[in-house]
Amino acid sequence: MMKKSMKIRIGFGSVMMAGVIGLMVWDWRLEASDVSGAGVKGLPLAGLIALMAAMGFLEVHRMAKALGTSGLRISGVLGTVAIATLPVWSQFLAFDASMKMSSGAKYLPLLLLGGVVGLIFLEQMAVHRTEDALRRVAVTALGVLYVGVGSCLVLLLRVEHGLAFLVLFLAVVKFTDIGAYFTGSFLGKHKLIPWLSPGKSWEGLAGGLVTAAGVAVLGAWLMKTFPFGKHDWFGPLFGPGSHLWRYVMFGVVVGAFGQFADLCESLLKRAAGVKDSGAIVPEFGGVLDIADSPLLAAPIALLYVEAFTYIA
């Protein structure tokens, strides 16, 4: 008989999935209706990313408070949201009047990051002066980098490589978690890192990576078989002439880093002495408990697909 907690997880999980799918459909329809190709990509998803990034930073702030310190909320939230949504709002600034890429656009991420660092110091000086300055600034910078940059790279997957690639990435990451959970529940005997995450096992990790590889192969096959119109879904990664091992390795590599990202969040929670990063969704915890895996798996997915841009 299914446990009550599992029923709650399935119920809330289904609602969240339906909401995300709805946003993605809206995003896809906006792009499909833009015949000129000059529209802003990823705008509907940017709103969700902004909200989750702000909440994620505040969860880092609350974990720091459990240790007797805290971050700087105003500069932290503003900086996190600005960085997280950079791939979308930069599209308004990166082109000149002739719609050609501005030569200075490539420096925008570094300029933004430098500005956020300055804003963090400004809030510390204006509100707290020298009081606990090093720890406050360090906690705020950690939250901005961890949540803001990770969210930015997730959104960049959609803007640079298309909505289908983002869907494939998220499916691989999340089904790695699902495969690891069920495999570990039934077969797990050897603990992965007992002092950090007692519930994880080597058997669960193996099951998760096998699931990730299968989802990558299935997802790529579905997108190539049902292209929903003339659209190059995956470009050089899963394009014509690509081999099965590219799908399998994508699933394994991204799935592995997704599990590593989960351990990174566990490190913060264990240090703070909390079970969950927040209590936004029953049985799921906070935003970071839901979205921790994609945050550090996204850069690996980007590196993987960029590498295949230069491989015939």
Short mmCIF file of all heavy atoms in Angstrom, two decimals, residues 92-136:
data_model
loop_
_atom_site.label_atom_id
_atom_site.label_comp_id
_atom_site.label_asym_id
_atom_site.label_seq_id
_atom_site.Cartn_x
_atom_site.Cartn_y
_atom_site.Cartn_z
N PHE A 92 17.57 42.26 -24.93
CA PHE A 92 17.11 43.62 -25.23
C PHE A 92 18.28 44.58 -25.42
O PHE A 92 18.13 45.65 -26.02
CB PHE A 92 16.22 44.14 -24.10
CG PHE A 92 14.93 43.41 -23.96
CD1 PHE A 92 14.77 42.42 -23.00
CD2 PHE A 92 13.85 43.72 -24.78
CE1 PHE A 92 13.57 41.74 -22.86
CE2 PHE A 92 12.64 43.05 -24.65
CZ PHE A 92 12.50 42.06 -23.68
N LEU A 93 19.46 44.22 -24.90
CA LEU A 93 20.59 45.15 -24.88
C LEU A 93 21.72 44.75 -25.81
O LEU A 93 22.58 45.58 -26.13
CB LEU A 93 21.16 45.23 -23.46
CG LEU A 93 20.19 45.56 -22.33
CD1 LEU A 93 20.91 45.50 -20.99
CD2 LEU A 93 19.57 46.92 -22.54
N ALA A 94 21.73 43.49 -26.23
CA ALA A 94 22.90 42.95 -26.91
C ALA A 94 22.97 43.26 -28.40
O ALA A 94 23.94 42.94 -29.04
CB ALA A 94 22.95 41.43 -26.72
N PHE A 95 21.93 43.89 -28.96
CA PHE A 95 21.91 44.15 -30.39
C PHE A 95 21.90 45.65 -30.67
O PHE A 95 21.32 46.44 -29.92
CB PHE A 95 20.68 43.50 -31.04
CG PHE A 95 20.68 42.01 -30.94
CD1 PHE A 95 20.04 41.37 -29.88
CD2 PHE A 95 21.34 41.23 -31.87
CE1 PHE A 95 20.04 39.99 -29.77
CE2 PHE A 95 21.35 39.86 -31.77
CZ PHE A 95 20.70 39.23 -30.72
N ASP A 96 22.54 46.03 -31.77
CA ASP A 96 22.49 47.42 -32.18
C ASP A 96 21.28 47.68 -33.07
O ASP A 96 20.43 46.81 -33.23
CB ASP A 96 23.80 47.82 -32.90
CG ASP A 96 24.06 46.96 -34.13
OD1 ASP A 96 23.10 46.42 -34.70
OD2 ASP A 96 25.24 46.86 -34.53
N ALA A 97 21.20 48.86 -33.65
CA ALA A 97 20.01 49.23 -34.42
C ALA A 97 19.79 48.33 -35.63
O ALA A 97 18.66 48.16 -36.10
CB ALA A 97 20.12 50.69 -34.87
N SER A 98 20.86 47.75 -36.17
CA SER A 98 20.74 46.88 -37.34
C SER A 98 20.54 45.42 -36.96
O SER A 98 20.66 44.53 -37.79
CB SER A 98 21.99 47.00 -38.22
OG SER A 98 23.14 46.59 -37.50
N MET A 99 20.26 45.17 -35.66
CA MET A 99 20.02 43.83 -35.12
C MET A 99 21.26 42.93 -35.23
O MET A 99 21.16 41.72 -35.31
CB MET A 99 18.83 43.15 -35.82
CG MET A 99 17.50 43.76 -35.44
SD MET A 99 17.23 43.82 -33.65
CE MET A 99 17.12 42.07 -33.26
N LYS A 100 22.45 43.56 -35.20
CA LYS A 100 23.69 42.79 -35.15
C LYS A 100 24.19 42.77 -33.70
O LYS A 100 23.99 43.73 -32.95
CB LYS A 100 24.75 43.41 -36.05
CG LYS A 100 24.41 43.32 -37.54
CD LYS A 100 25.52 43.91 -38.38
CE LYS A 100 25.19 43.81 -39.86
NZ LYS A 100 26.26 44.40 -40.71
N MET A 101 24.86 41.67 -33.34
CA MET A 101 25.34 41.55 -31.97
C MET A 101 26.32 42.66 -31.64
O MET A 101 27.28 42.90 -32.36
CB MET A 101 26.01 40.19 -31.78
CG MET A 101 26.52 39.94 -30.37
SD MET A 101 25.19 39.82 -29.15
CE MET A 101 24.54 38.20 -29.52
N SER A 102 26.08 43.35 -30.55
CA SER A 102 26.97 44.41 -30.11
C SER A 102 28.31 43.84 -29.67
O SER A 102 28.37 42.78 -29.03
CB SER A 102 26.33 45.17 -28.95
OG SER A 102 27.26 46.03 -28.35
N SER A 103 29.39 44.52 -29.99
CA SER A 103 30.72 44.02 -29.65
C SER A 103 30.96 43.98 -28.15
O SER A 103 31.75 43.19 -27.65
CB SER A 103 31.79 44.89 -30.32
OG SER A 103 31.68 46.23 -29.88
N GLY A 104 30.26 44.84 -27.40
CA GLY A 104 30.44 44.86 -25.95
C GLY A 104 29.59 43.88 -25.20
O GLY A 104 29.73 43.72 -23.98
N ALA A 105 28.69 43.18 -25.90
CA ALA A 105 27.76 42.27 -25.22
C ALA A 105 28.48 41.12 -24.54
O ALA A 105 28.01 40.61 -23.52
CB ALA A 105 26.75 41.73 -26.22
N LYS A 106 29.61 40.70 -25.07
CA LYS A 106 30.30 39.55 -24.49
C LYS A 106 30.85 39.84 -23.10
O LYS A 106 31.15 38.92 -22.33
CB LYS A 106 31.44 39.10 -25.42
CG LYS A 106 32.48 40.17 -25.69
CD LYS A 106 33.51 39.70 -26.71
CE LYS A 106 34.51 40.79 -27.05
NZ LYS A 106 35.49 40.33 -28.07
N TYR A 107 30.99 41.13 -22.75
CA TYR A 107 31.49 41.48 -21.44
C TYR A 107 30.38 41.68 -20.41
O TYR A 107 30.66 41.93 -19.24
CB TYR A 107 32.33 42.77 -21.52
CG TYR A 107 33.52 42.66 -22.43
CD1 TYR A 107 33.59 43.40 -23.60
CD2 TYR A 107 34.59 41.82 -22.13
CE1 TYR A 107 34.68 43.31 -24.45
CE2 TYR A 107 35.68 41.72 -22.96
CZ TYR A 107 35.71 42.46 -24.12
OH TYR A 107 36.80 42.37 -24.96
N LEU A 108 29.14 41.59 -20.86
CA LEU A 108 28.02 41.89 -19.99
C LEU A 108 27.97 41.03 -18.73
O LEU A 108 27.73 41.56 -17.63
CB LEU A 108 26.70 41.77 -20.77
CG LEU A 108 25.43 42.24 -20.07
CD1 LEU A 108 25.57 43.70 -19.63
CD2 LEU A 108 24.23 42.09 -20.99
N PRO A 109 28.18 39.70 -18.81
CA PRO A 109 28.15 38.89 -17.58
C PRO A 109 29.16 39.34 -16.53
O PRO A 109 28.84 39.41 -15.34
CB PRO A 109 28.45 37.47 -18.08
CG PRO A 109 28.01 37.48 -19.50
CD PRO A 109 28.34 38.84 -20.01
N LEU A 110 30.39 39.66 -16.96
CA LEU A 110 31.41 40.10 -16.01
C LEU A 110 31.07 41.47 -15.44
O LEU A 110 31.28 41.73 -14.26
CB LEU A 110 32.78 40.13 -16.69
CG LEU A 110 33.40 38.77 -17.01
CD1 LEU A 110 34.72 38.94 -17.75
CD2 LEU A 110 33.61 37.96 -15.74
N LEU A 111 30.56 42.36 -16.28
CA LEU A 111 30.15 43.68 -15.79
C LEU A 111 29.04 43.56 -14.76
O LEU A 111 29.04 44.25 -13.73
CB LEU A 111 29.69 44.55 -16.97
CG LEU A 111 30.76 44.98 -17.96
CD1 LEU A 111 30.13 45.66 -19.17
CD2 LEU A 111 31.77 45.91 -17.29
N LEU A 112 28.08 42.67 -15.03
CA LEU A 112 26.98 42.46 -14.09
C LEU A 112 27.49 41.88 -12.79
O LEU A 112 27.11 42.34 -11.70
CB LEU A 112 25.94 41.53 -14.72
CG LEU A 112 24.78 41.11 -13.82
CD1 LEU A 112 23.97 42.33 -13.37
CD2 LEU A 112 23.88 40.11 -14.52
N LEU A 113 28.35 40.88 -12.87
CA LEU A 113 28.88 40.26 -11.66
C LEU A 113 29.66 41.26 -10.82
O LEU A 113 29.53 41.31 -9.59
CB LEU A 113 29.76 39.07 -12.04
CG LEU A 113 30.21 38.14 -10.91
CD1 LEU A 113 29.01 37.56 -10.18
CD2 LEU A 113 31.09 37.02 -11.45
N GLY A 114 30.47 42.08 -11.50
CA GLY A 114 31.20 43.12 -10.78
C GLY A 114 30.28 44.11 -10.11
O GLY A 114 30.52 44.54 -8.97
N GLY A 115 29.20 44.48 -10.80
CA GLY A 115 28.23 45.40 -10.22
C GLY A 115 27.52 44.82 -9.01
O GLY A 115 27.28 45.52 -8.02
N VAL A 116 27.21 43.53 -9.06
CA VAL A 116 26.54 42.86 -7.94
C VAL A 116 27.47 42.81 -6.73
O VAL A 116 27.04 43.04 -5.58
CB VAL A 116 26.08 41.45 -8.34
CG1 VAL A 116 25.61 40.66 -7.12
CG2 VAL A 116 24.96 41.52 -9.37
N VAL A 117 28.74 42.52 -6.95
CA VAL A 117 29.70 42.50 -5.84
C VAL A 117 29.77 43.88 -5.17
O VAL A 117 29.76 43.99 -3.94
CB VAL A 117 31.10 42.08 -6.34
CG1 VAL A 117 32.15 42.27 -5.24
CG2 VAL A 117 31.10 40.63 -6.79
N GLY A 118 29.81 44.92 -5.99
CA GLY A 118 29.82 46.28 -5.43
C GLY A 118 28.55 46.57 -4.64
O GLY A 118 28.61 47.21 -3.58
N LEU A 119 27.40 46.10 -5.14
CA LEU A 119 26.13 46.31 -4.45
C LEU A 119 26.11 45.60 -3.10
O LEU A 119 25.57 46.13 -2.11
CB LEU A 119 24.98 45.81 -5.32
CG LEU A 119 23.55 46.04 -4.80
CD1 LEU A 119 23.26 47.53 -4.66
CD2 LEU A 119 22.54 45.38 -5.72
N ILE A 120 26.70 44.42 -3.04
CA ILE A 120 26.77 43.68 -1.77
C ILE A 120 27.57 44.46 -0.74
O ILE A 120 27.15 44.63 0.42
CB ILE A 120 27.40 42.29 -2.01
CG1 ILE A 120 26.46 41.41 -2.84
CG2 ILE A 120 27.73 41.61 -0.68
CD1 ILE A 120 27.09 40.11 -3.31
N PHE A 121 28.72 44.96 -1.14
CA PHE A 121 29.53 45.76 -0.21
C PHE A 121 28.81 47.04 0.20
O PHE A 121 28.88 47.46 1.36
CB PHE A 121 30.88 46.11 -0.86
CG PHE A 121 31.91 45.03 -0.73
CD1 PHE A 121 32.24 44.23 -1.80
CD2 PHE A 121 32.56 44.81 0.48
CE1 PHE A 121 33.19 43.24 -1.70
CE2 PHE A 121 33.52 43.82 0.62
CZ PHE A 121 33.84 43.02 -0.48
N LEU A 122 28.10 47.64 -0.73
CA LEU A 122 27.37 48.88 -0.43
C LEU A 122 26.31 48.64 0.64
O LEU A 122 26.17 49.43 1.58
CB LEU A 122 26.73 49.43 -1.70
CG LEU A 122 25.90 50.72 -1.54
CD1 LEU A 122 26.78 51.86 -1.03
CD2 LEU A 122 25.25 51.09 -2.86
N GLU A 123 25.55 47.55 0.51
CA GLU A 123 24.52 47.26 1.52
C GLU A 123 25.15 46.98 2.88
O GLU A 123 24.64 47.42 3.92
CB GLU A 123 23.66 46.08 1.09
CG GLU A 123 22.52 45.82 2.08
CD GLU A 123 21.63 44.66 1.72
OE1 GLU A 123 21.85 44.04 0.66
OE2 GLU A 123 20.70 44.36 2.51
N GLN A 124 26.27 46.24 2.89
CA GLN A 124 26.95 45.96 4.15
C GLN A 124 27.37 47.25 4.84
O GLN A 124 27.14 47.45 6.03
CB GLN A 124 28.17 45.08 3.89
CG GLN A 124 29.08 44.88 5.10
CD GLN A 124 28.42 44.15 6.26
OE1 GLN A 124 27.64 43.23 6.04
NE2 GLN A 124 28.72 44.56 7.49
N MET A 125 27.96 48.17 4.08
CA MET A 125 28.43 49.43 4.66
C MET A 125 27.27 50.31 5.12
O MET A 125 27.33 50.93 6.19
CB MET A 125 29.28 50.19 3.64
CG MET A 125 30.67 49.62 3.41
SD MET A 125 31.64 50.69 2.32
CE MET A 125 31.89 49.58 0.95
N ALA A 126 26.21 50.35 4.33
CA ALA A 126 25.09 51.23 4.63
C ALA A 126 24.25 50.75 5.80
O ALA A 126 23.72 51.57 6.58
CB ALA A 126 24.20 51.38 3.38
N VAL A 127 24.13 49.45 5.97
CA VAL A 127 23.22 48.90 6.98
C VAL A 127 23.97 48.40 8.22
O VAL A 127 23.54 48.63 9.35
CB VAL A 127 22.37 47.76 6.37
CG1 VAL A 127 21.44 47.17 7.43
CG2 VAL A 127 21.56 48.27 5.18
N HIS A 128 25.08 47.71 8.01
CA HIS A 128 25.75 47.03 9.13
C HIS A 128 27.15 47.56 9.43
O HIS A 128 27.77 47.10 10.39
CB HIS A 128 25.83 45.53 8.85
CG HIS A 128 24.51 44.88 8.59
ND1 HIS A 128 23.60 44.61 9.60
CD2 HIS A 128 23.93 44.45 7.43
CE1 HIS A 128 22.53 44.04 9.08
NE2 HIS A 128 22.70 43.93 7.77
N ARG A 129 27.65 48.48 8.60
CA ARG A 129 29.02 48.99 8.76
C ARG A 129 30.02 47.82 8.79
O ARG A 129 30.04 47.03 7.87
CB ARG A 129 29.11 49.89 9.98
CG ARG A 129 28.23 51.14 9.88
CD ARG A 129 28.52 52.14 10.97
NE ARG A 129 27.71 53.33 10.78
CZ ARG A 129 27.79 54.41 11.55
NH1 ARG A 129 28.64 54.41 12.59
NH2 ARG A 129 27.03 55.46 11.30
N THR A 130 30.81 47.71 9.85
CA THR A 130 31.81 46.64 9.88
C THR A 130 31.31 45.37 10.59
O THR A 130 32.04 44.37 10.64
CB THR A 130 33.10 47.12 10.59
OG1 THR A 130 32.78 47.48 11.95
CG2 THR A 130 33.70 48.31 9.87
N GLU A 131 30.12 45.42 11.13
CA GLU A 131 29.60 44.30 11.92
C GLU A 131 29.50 43.02 11.10
O GLU A 131 28.75 42.94 10.13
CB GLU A 131 28.22 44.64 12.48
CG GLU A 131 27.59 43.53 13.31
CD GLU A 131 26.13 43.81 13.64
OE1 GLU A 131 25.70 44.97 13.48
OE2 GLU A 131 25.43 42.87 14.03
N ASP A 132 30.27 42.00 11.48
CA ASP A 132 30.22 40.68 10.85
C ASP A 132 30.36 40.78 9.32
O ASP A 132 29.76 40.00 8.57
CB ASP A 132 28.90 39.99 11.21
CG ASP A 132 29.01 38.47 11.16
OD1 ASP A 132 30.14 37.96 11.21
OD2 ASP A 132 27.97 37.80 11.05
N ALA A 133 31.15 41.76 8.87
CA ALA A 133 31.21 42.08 7.44
C ALA A 133 31.70 40.91 6.59
O ALA A 133 31.12 40.62 5.54
CB ALA A 133 32.11 43.30 7.22
N LEU A 134 32.77 40.26 7.03
CA LEU A 134 33.34 39.20 6.19
C LEU A 134 32.36 38.06 5.98
O LEU A 134 32.17 37.57 4.86
CB LEU A 134 34.63 38.68 6.84
CG LEU A 134 35.42 37.66 6.02
CD1 LEU A 134 35.81 38.23 4.66
CD2 LEU A 134 36.67 37.20 6.77
N ARG A 135 31.71 37.64 7.05
CA ARG A 135 30.77 36.51 6.92
C ARG A 135 29.52 36.91 6.15
O ARG A 135 28.99 36.12 5.36
CB ARG A 135 30.42 35.96 8.30
CG ARG A 135 31.59 35.27 8.99
CD ARG A 135 31.13 34.32 10.08
NE ARG A 135 30.45 35.01 11.16
CZ ARG A 135 29.89 34.39 12.20
NH1 ARG A 135 29.90 33.06 12.26
NH2 ARG A 135 29.31 35.08 13.17
N ARG A 136 29.00 38.11 6.38
CA ARG A 136 27.80 38.55 5.65
C ARG A 136 28.07 38.63 4.15
O ARG A 136 27.27 38.15 3.34
CB ARG A 136 27.34 39.92 6.15
CG ARG A 136 26.69 39.93 7.52
CD ARG A 136 26.23 41.33 7.86
NE ARG A 136 25.83 41.46 9.25
CZ ARG A 136 24.62 41.15 9.71
NH1 ARG A 136 23.70 40.72 8.88
NH2 ARG A 136 24.33 41.29 11.00
#
